[in-house]
Amino acid sequence: MAGDSLGIGAAGTAAVPLTGTAGPIGVLSVITAESEPDEVQRSFLGSLAGWVAARLEDIPGTPPAHESEVTSERTVRMSRLTAALAEALTSEEVVGAVAAHVLPPFGADGLVVWVMESGRQRVVGSVGYSREFLRMINGVPVADYPVAADVLRTREPWFVESLGEYRRRYPTLSKVASASRKKAWAFLPMIASGHVIGVCVVSFTRPHSFSDEERALLTALSGMVGQALERARLYDVEHARAQGLQRSLLPRTLPCLPAACTAARYLSAGRGEQVGGDWYDVIPLSADRVALVIGDVMGHGIPEAATMGQLRTALRTLADLDMPPDELLSRLNDLVSDLGEDYYATCLYAVFDPVTRICSFCLAGHPPPVIVLPDGTIDTPDLMADPPLGAAEPPFETHQLLLPEESLLVLCTDGLVESPTQSFDRGLALLQRILAQSAAPVFTARDKDDNVRHLDDLCDKVVSALLPHRGRTDDDAALLMAHLRALDADHVATCNLPEDPRAAGQARAFVRERLGAWGLDELAITTELLASELVGNVIRHADGPIRLRLVNSHYMTCEVYDGSLSTPRIRHAAYTDESGRGLQLVSALSRRWGARYLRDDGKCIWTEQEIPPRAA
């Protein structure tokens, strides 16, 4: 109906009947900006009317039914289908809604939904078909599948009531018809935005005669499914992009280091934008130390995932500078504060030293770690966390734990243990119980690969126990497990040196003696030179006391400790300079080198060298 009788600038109104279980129960009237709704708008209004009718079914006072029981049931099913399609987010959910609400009332037992991509048909979902048959039709050019080509060309449904009729119409598809093991089909074009995007095939294992009512209902069904599927495909594309972004920001693989064997899981939210800011990382540091980090940017969506990527990159950069946990989180807190007032993130940053077996960590609004001791005892330190990054005021408090060898450190975000139906304390208690029951095999692993398998299995057990209905949750979850190992004391050698020029010679003698005892004579000359240069630097530019430490592990690490906070840097010496090339030589002879600052106002300059395979 056209006209602006209400005087509100409308060009017309459209009215759609609301059909319930007992027939019409009302009318949905919509004021339109155009005099006549187009095809897409009419299809949408039909879907909306079905959804509204389904919701009104619960209102008392609807008139008694005068329809047949079968017709009434089908009407109810179609109303419920409309509601289910309106709520479906993904293509998989659309196919599931059609299978649940369409096949039973028609007595059908087969469903295939496929879309056209680059002239080929791609199966989106199916019910009642074998994998062999789906492989036969998936990816086939539409031109080679005449029944599909006819439906797409005419934009009209095709009803085939028997296998014989199928073979008469399409003799070239006899093999396909036999492989489907069906005897009747309804080929329904799915139209969205004025275009045919694919075909919905409803099938039967016995011959079936389609009544006029069934043909009308199935034809109406195809329009609703097309609209819902088009919307779901757009969601799928955006979701895939978001998930791809998040996967690219998380570690592709986790290293298995001498001090820690690790495994992790990331689980996106089951509904909604399904991408968030949870992250984890494992970072190798000097002298076989390892940094373990887990965090959570508050909120969900691509901006939060991008913020997570910024924080992870910044944290890795700061970790490579060997900053202590409290100073590192202070720098990270400044970064989050600069992003704006609405940005906050929780973070746990821990550093494990395999020589001392001390784990130092800071908590910025994050749950403390759960520790599984070698005897199976579970320990969760009762610690007060500092405020989240972006809201904290440094300094952060540093916590230290002396861990027995072969301990298991478990870090997680709150999405793993907390949900709308489960409190944090209850979830934490369940996590502790699962670890107590299942963590023992980790401590009896035969080798590195066996250890990784045990950790992966343990991660799966924890996730399945804490998140049994993953698709219904609305928060991300991250889990990181690290099996920690101490370094054998026989692989560490320490020597105190005097604060005079004799120290360089004593350092060379100490290196020569220890590397000979370790069977690493091939490294002796290079390591002597490195130790001599580092000690000479301390004598010339820093203060004592001087200490030399050698660590024989995955790499040969040479460390020189002093009492100065001066930063070593490589100089660009001129051709005529008689000094200033020491650190250039150190850089050229070592795999990598660096400096870290100690809590007792000193520093350590270190170098790493590859150990020859024969010696290793």
Side-chain angles (χ1 to χ4, degrees):
M1 180 176 68
D4 188 16
S5 59
L6 299 177
I8 58 173
T13 59
V16 184
L18 301 177
T19 305
T21 16
I25 61 174
V27 174
L28 173 67
S29 296
V30 180
I31 298 173
T32 63
E34 300 176 359
S35 58
E36 183 70 21
D38 58 23
E39 181 182 357
V40 175
Q41 291 170 332
R42 286 196 299 270
S43 177
F44 172 75
L45 288 176
S47 300
L48 182 61
W51 182 84
V52 172
R55 291 299 181 270
L56 292 176
E57 286 293 302
D58 294 333
I59 298 177
T62 51
H66 297 289
E67 305 177 30
S68 68
E69 184 177 347
V70 174
T71 302
S72 176
E73 181 185 354
R74 286 178 180 171
T75 304
V76 172
R77 290 273 187 175
M78 292 304 102
S79 298
R80 291 176 179 171
L81 169 65
T82 305
L85 290 178
E87 296 174 358
L89 282 178
T90 66
S91 300
E92 182 181 355
E93 291 177 356
V94 170
V95 174
V98 175
H101 298 287
V102 174
L103 300 189
F106 288 94
D109 50 20
L111 174 69
V112 176
V113 177
W114 61 263
V115 295
M116 185 169 58
E117 292 182 354
S118 303
R120 295 177 178 270
Q121 55 187 34
R122 181 179 69 82
V123 175
V124 175
S126 67
V127 173
Y129 285 94
S130 65
R131 293 183 179 179
E132 292 75 13
F133 175 76
L134 295 176
R135 281 196 294 266
M136 180 185 297
I137 65 170
N138 193 27
V140 173
V142 174
D144 296 344
Y145 202 59
V147 62
D150 288 344
V151 172
L152 296 176
R153 175 177 50 82
T154 63
R155 299 162 66 105
E156 296 290 338
W158 286 67
F159 298 96
V160 182
E161 299 183 341
S162 67
L163 181 59
E165 181 184 354
Y166 193 111
R167 289 173 174 170
R168 284 193 302 273
R169 285 193 182 187
Y170 306 103
T172 59
L173 297 180
S174 294
K175 184 178 179 182
V176 175
S178 300
S180 71
R181 299 181 180 179
K182 304 298 180 184
K183 301 295 177 59
W185 299 262
F187 296 92
L188 310 172
M190 296 185 297
I191 300 175
S193 303
H195 302 284
V196 182
I197 63 171
V199 175
C200 174
V201 184
V202 177
S203 56
F204 305 76
T205 53
R206 295 181 180 181
H208 183 84
S209 297
F210 295 93
S211 65
D212 292 340
E213 180 195 4
E214 288 177 331
R215 291 172 185 249
L217 282 173
L218 288 172
T219 302
L221 157 72
S222 64
M224 292 190 296
V225 175
Q227 292 287 343
L229 187 61
E230 180 73 357
R231 184 186 69 249
R233 291 177 67 203
L234 293 175
Y235 173 86
D236 290 340
V237 170
E238 292 302 316
H239 174 55
R241 289 175 180 171
Q243 291 286 60
L245 169 65
Q246 190 153 51
R247 280 194 298 270
S248 68
L249 296 175
L250 291 172
R252 291 175 181 260
T253 58
L254 291 178
C256 194
L257 305 171
C261 189
T262 57
R265 293 292 184 273
Y266 169 79
L267 300 103
S268 61
R271 302 282 293 184
E273 292 174 291
Q274 298 197 18
V275 65
D278 289 21
W279 92 95
Y280 57 85
D281 212 343
V282 178
I283 307 170
L285 303 176
S286 60
D288 274 358
R289 296 173 307 124
V290 58
L292 304 166
V293 58
I294 193 165
D296 180 6
V297 177
M298 296 183 184
H300 298 89
I302 292 180
E304 284 70 21
T307 301
M308 174 266 286
Q310 290 179 276
L311 295 185
R312 178 173 176 257
T313 302
L315 190 145
R316 287 193 70 95
T317 302
L318 296 172
D320 285 341
L321 297 176
D322 257 334
M323 288 186 175
D326 56 342
E327 184 178 349
L328 185 145
L329 286 191
S330 295
R331 300 289 183 89
L332 210 61
N333 181 69
D334 293 339
L335 189 153
V336 177
S337 298
D338 290 342
L339 294 176
E341 296 181 355
D342 296 331
Y343 286 87
Y344 301 99
T346 68
C347 185
L348 187 162
Y349 182 77
V351 175
F352 175 69
D353 187 337
V355 176
T356 62
R357 293 187 287 111
I358 291 177
C359 180
S360 305
F361 61 94
C362 290
L363 304 170
H366 205 86
V370 177
I371 303 162
V372 186
L373 303 179
D375 62 359
T377 304
I378 307 297
D379 181 23
T380 303
D382 185 13
L383 303 172
M384 182 66 69
D386 287 295
L389 301 175
E393 294 184 2
F396 289 88
E397 183 176 358
T398 300
H399 310 280
Q400 290 190 331
L401 298 174
L402 179 62
L403 300 178
E405 187 173 357
E406 306 288 340
S407 295
L408 183 67
L409 198 65
V410 181
L411 315 179
C412 68
T413 57
D414 58 0
L416 184 70
V417 295
E418 188 176 25
S419 69
T421 60
Q422 179 174 268
S423 66
F424 177 86
D425 292 337
R426 183 179 176 187
L428 182 60
L430 179 57
L431 171 62
Q432 294 171 336
R433 187 161 64 250
I434 295 299
L435 292 173
Q437 295 170 351
S438 309
V442 174
F443 304 111
T444 58
R446 296 184 300 274
D447 52 32
K448 181 181 70 173
D449 293 337
D450 194 32
N451 200 350
V452 171
R453 284 193 297 272
H454 280 314
L455 284 177
D456 280 330
D457 291 343
L458 184 55
C459 283
D460 291 337
K461 289 179 181 178
V462 168
V463 169
S464 60
L466 289 169
L467 303 173
H469 306 294
R470 186 60 205 156
R472 303 177 191 173
T473 60
D474 56 2
D475 195 8
D476 311 331
L479 172 67
L480 175 62
M481 293 187 182
H483 182 205
L484 305 177
R485 293 186 291 266
L487 189 62
D488 193 331
D490 293 338
H491 288 232
V492 182
T494 303
C495 174
N496 294 317
L497 300 171
E499 298 180 49
D500 59 51
R502 293 176 302 167
Q506 294 181 18
R508 290 193 295 271
F510 177 75
V511 168
R512 203 162 42 245
E513 184 272 328
R514 288 314 306 163
L515 265 60
W518 286 334
L520 298 175
D521 299 283
E522 294 179 62
L523 294 178
I525 295 178
T526 304
T527 310
E528 282 183 47
L529 183 54
L530 290 171
S532 180
E533 286 293 337
L534 295 181
V535 171
N537 254 359
V538 175
I539 297 297
R540 288 189 295 271
H541 306 294
D543 302 317
I546 307 174
R547 181 163 56 97
L548 171 65
R549 188 173 80 161
L550 300 176
V551 180
N552 174 19
S553 181
H554 196 55
Y555 301 103
M556 171 54 62
T557 303
C558 177
E559 300 177 326
V560 173
Y561 294 80
D562 63 62
S564 170
L565 293 178
S566 59
T567 303
R569 59 186 181 88
I570 296 179
R571 291 177 51 193
H572 295 282
Y575 290 111
T576 56
D577 290 346
E578 296 182 0
S579 62
R581 300 180 179 84
L583 289 181
Q584 291 182 5
L585 186 62
V586 168
S587 178
L589 292 178
S590 57
R591 172 182 174 269
R592 63 173 187 156
W593 72 280
R596 66 177 184 271
Y597 296 91
L598 313 176
R599 302 191 68 85
D600 55 355
D601 293 336
K603 73 173 181 295
C604 165
I605 307 177
W606 54 268
T607 67
E608 282 183 357
Q609 301 171 75
E610 299 277 0
I611 295 180
R614 295 188 303 277

